[in-house]
């Protein structure tokens, strides 16, 4: 039987981030991201139906893994083998399994990001096929009662800028405040403790209360330094203290959770449900307090992310403790469709990928989830232009 829906081309190209900023570990001026388009033989509104995606933000493009390993597997398999049981849509689960054929388990690094770019494009494609937002598609696919129409957001920024002036951080957060944000996250660990505490004090002149401010060390600290920072930070009562040490150093995270009374956040650099299982079992995470930040755009896509949620909930954690790293539209739809705690946002950095649709509006720390078909990339003009160049 001839396939009702067939992938005809997979197009990938790297795009540079327009961000000369630094966290405690890296400068992003040379970072790239894989833009990806999955083209089908289905005609929609007079044009071939195309699913769009990218492999999240803050790592590197995965061109070779996609173009030399994973895309050929999808293009060589029988089209029917990738369809859902009803035959009307392409199955994200089957696409992921096909992309990972002949890949050994473990080693969840760049391969996870390459696979997620492919899997996420299928969600965009299927949602467009049904003229609905991806968040609606997610909720229905995973038997959720429905998507969250609006979600809590926080503005992620507060990086270390070249030649940073003392007022730079305050001006940046005030800009986010004027946009409608009430909660913020800034970087620590790129300076000494005394300097970082001054940055926190400056940020609080805008945030108002420490419960509206999170700090992120990006895995910079050893245990002794993490504990030192913890002792200095705990009196503030911050929203959370993020990724104090290496993300796979579960012993460090567990020791810090015993010593630090506030909320800890980690997980953005864990790319599989097995890694999340280990974090839940051995990382000292506390139900109702700590925050999980796994990003489906970095970790094999929505299919694997749902497995992560199953792991957490089976061990007494609530999915409302999940605030995915992302800061872009794919993460926003994941938060809405899966019913998570809230979304990171990059309202002014990591362009053209960071942030949401051009018509998105923030009020009192919330944003309404877009109703545009798919992820809504077509309603973010600078990103739309990048995808148009990809498809030209």
């Amino acid at each position: 039987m001839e396939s009702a829906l067939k992938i005809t081309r997979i197009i990938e190209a790297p795009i540079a981030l327009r961000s000369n900023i630094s966290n405690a570990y890296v400068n992003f001026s040379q970072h790239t991201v894989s833009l990806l388009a999955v083209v089908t033989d289905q005609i929609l509104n007079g044009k071939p139906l195309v699913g769009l995606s990218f492999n999240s933000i803050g790592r590197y493009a995965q061109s070779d893994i996609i173009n030399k390993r994973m895309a050929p597997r999808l293009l060589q398999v029988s089209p029917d083998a990738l369809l859902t049981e009803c035959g009307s849509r392409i199955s994200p689960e089957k696409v992921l399994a096909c992309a990972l054929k002949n890949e050994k388990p473990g080693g969840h690094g760049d391969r996870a990001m390459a696979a997620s770019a492919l899997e996420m494009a299928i969600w965009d494609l299927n949602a467009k096929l049904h003229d609905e937002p991806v968040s609606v598609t997610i909720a229905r696919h995973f038997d959720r009662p429905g998507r969250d129409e609006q979600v809590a957001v926080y503005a992620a920024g507060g990086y270390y800028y070249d030649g940073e002036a003392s007022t730079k951080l305050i001006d940046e957060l005030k800009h986010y405040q004027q946009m409608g944000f009430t909660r913020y996250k800034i970087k620590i660990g790129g300076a000494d403790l005394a300097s970082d505490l001054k940055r926190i004090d400056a940020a609080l002149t805008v945030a108002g209360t420490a419960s509206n401010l999170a700090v992120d060390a990006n895995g910079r600290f050893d245990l002794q330094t993490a504990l030192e920072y913890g002792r200095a930070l705990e009196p503030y009562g911050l929203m959370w203290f993020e990724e104090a040490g290496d993300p796979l150093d579960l012993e460090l995270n567990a020791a810090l959770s015993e010593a630090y009374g506030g909320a800890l956040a980690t997980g953005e650099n864990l790319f599989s449900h097995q890694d999340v299982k280990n974090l839940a079992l051995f990382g000292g995470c506390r139900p109702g307090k700590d925050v999980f930040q796994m990003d489906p755009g970095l970790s094999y896509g929505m299919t694997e992310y749902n497995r992560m949620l199953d792991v957490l909930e089976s061990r007494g954690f609530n999915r409302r403790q999940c605030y995915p790293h992302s800061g872009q539209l794919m993460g926003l739809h994941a938060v809405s469709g899966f019913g998570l705690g809230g979304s990171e946002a990059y309202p002014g950095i990591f362009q053209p990928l960071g942030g949401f649709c051009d018509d998105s509006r923030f009020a009192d720390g919330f944003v309404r989830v877009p109703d545009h078909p798919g992820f809504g990339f077509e309603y973010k003009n600078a990103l739309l232009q990048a995808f148009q160049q990809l498809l030209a």
Side-chain angles (χ1 to χ4, degrees):
M1 183 179 68
E2 184 178 353
S3 172
L5 185 59
K6 177 183 178 181
I7 296 174
T8 58
R9 286 192 300 160
I10 297 174
I11 310 168
E12 182 278 342
I15 183 175
L17 291 177
R18 298 198 294 265
S19 291
N20 185 22
I21 55 179
S22 300
N23 62 29
Y25 253 121
V26 300
N27 179 277
F28 292 94
S29 60
Q30 298 183 26
H31 274 224
T32 55
V33 174
S34 281
L35 285 187
L36 189 130
V38 174
V39 185
T40 74
D41 62 353
Q42 181 81 29
I43 302 300
L44 187 67
N45 299 323
K47 298 180 180 179
L49 174 64
V50 179
L52 304 175
S53 70
F54 53 90
N55 66 306
S56 199
I57 296 172
R59 306 304 183 274
Y60 289 95
Q62 308 301 326
S63 302
D64 279 358
I65 300 177
I66 292 171
N67 293 320
K68 294 181 180 180
R69 279 160 49 188
M70 294 185 174
R73 292 166 185 158
L74 295 174
L75 293 171
Q76 290 165 8
V77 74
S78 168
D80 291 330
L82 299 178
L83 296 180
T84 58
E85 290 185 7
C86 65
S88 63
R89 298 186 305 278
I90 297 176
S91 165
E93 293 89 347
K94 291 180 179 179
V95 164
L96 180 61
C98 182
L100 295 177
K101 185 178 180 181
N102 290 328
E103 301 277 344
K104 290 185 177 181
H108 305 291
D110 287 0
R111 179 182 70 186
M113 302 160 210
S116 65
L118 290 162
E119 198 260 15
M120 295 289 242
I122 302 306
W123 289 97
D124 185 65
L125 188 155
N126 285 337
K128 289 173 178 174
L129 190 62
H130 289 272
D131 194 30
E132 65 187 15
V134 169
S135 49
V136 172
T137 310
I138 291 171
R140 182 177 60 250
H141 186 88
F142 293 109
D143 296 321
R144 300 287 300 162
R147 73 168 186 169
D148 291 342
E149 296 297 328
Q150 65 174 6
V151 302
V153 289
Y154 68 90
Y159 286 79
Y160 296 94
Y161 295 85
D162 287 348
E164 180 177 340
S166 59
T167 60
K168 176 74 174 179
L169 177 62
I170 293 176
D171 291 342
E172 179 188 0
L173 298 189
K174 281 184 176 179
H175 173 67
Y176 298 152
Q177 186 180 57
Q178 291 167 359
M179 293 178 65
F181 288 93
T182 60
R183 297 192 294 172
Y184 316 90
K185 185 172 76 177
I186 68 171
K187 299 300 181 181
I188 59 172
D192 58 53
L193 175 57
S195 298
D196 279 338
L197 292 178
K198 289 180 181 178
R199 299 182 86 243
I200 291 172
D201 290 336
L204 287 174
T205 65
V206 180
T209 176
S211 61
N212 288 333
L213 181 68
V215 296
D216 181 5
N218 290 104
R220 179 72 180 186
F221 303 143
D222 58 20
L223 178 57
Q224 181 178 349
T225 308
L227 293 172
E228 181 184 7
Y229 265 75
R231 287 190 293 269
L233 296 178
E234 185 163 357
Y236 283 97
L238 294 168
M239 185 163 67
W240 65 67
F241 177 11
E242 180 172 332
E243 211 165 43
D246 187 292
L248 294 179
D249 192 343
L250 304 183
E251 183 181 31
L252 182 151
N253 201 77
L256 183 59
S257 71
E258 289 185 5
Y260 182 71
L264 298 175
T266 191
E268 76 170 73
N269 289 297
L270 302 183
F271 305 142
S272 73
H273 73 276
Q274 294 93 342
D275 286 327
V276 173
K277 175 183 176 180
N278 287 334
L279 175 62
L281 290 175
F282 308 116
C285 299
R286 297 159 291 184
K289 175 172 284 190
D290 294 325
V291 172
F292 297 93
Q293 298 177 303
M294 295 76 68
D295 178 353
L298 297 175
S299 50
Y300 298 103
M302 303 294 185
T303 299
E304 183 70 5
Y305 191 81
N306 186 63
R307 295 171 185 149
M308 293 176 176
L309 293 177
D310 287 344
V311 164
L312 290 177
E313 290 184 325
S314 70
R315 285 160 177 81
F317 297 96
N318 192 304
R319 66 178 58 206
R320 294 291 184 183
Q321 291 179 248
C322 295
Y323 287 71
H325 161 276
S326 64
Q328 30 78 349
L329 280 163
M330 296 185 298
L332 177 63
H333 281 277
V335 171
S336 170
F338 283 115
L340 309 179
S343 177
E344 184 174 39
Y346 291 136
I349 53 178
F350 297 133
Q351 297 306 309
L353 306 170
F356 305 146
C357 299
D358 291 341
D359 58 0
S360 293
R361 297 293 179 266
F362 307 92
D364 300 323
F366 287 82
V367 65
R368 182 171 178 81
V369 182
D371 290 322
H372 309 306
F375 285 116
F377 299 137
E378 293 84 355
Y379 297 86
K380 183 172 171 53
N381 188 57
L383 184 53
L384 172 61
Q385 291 180 31
F387 277 119
Q388 288 175 333
Q389 293 175 10
L390 177 70
L391 290 164

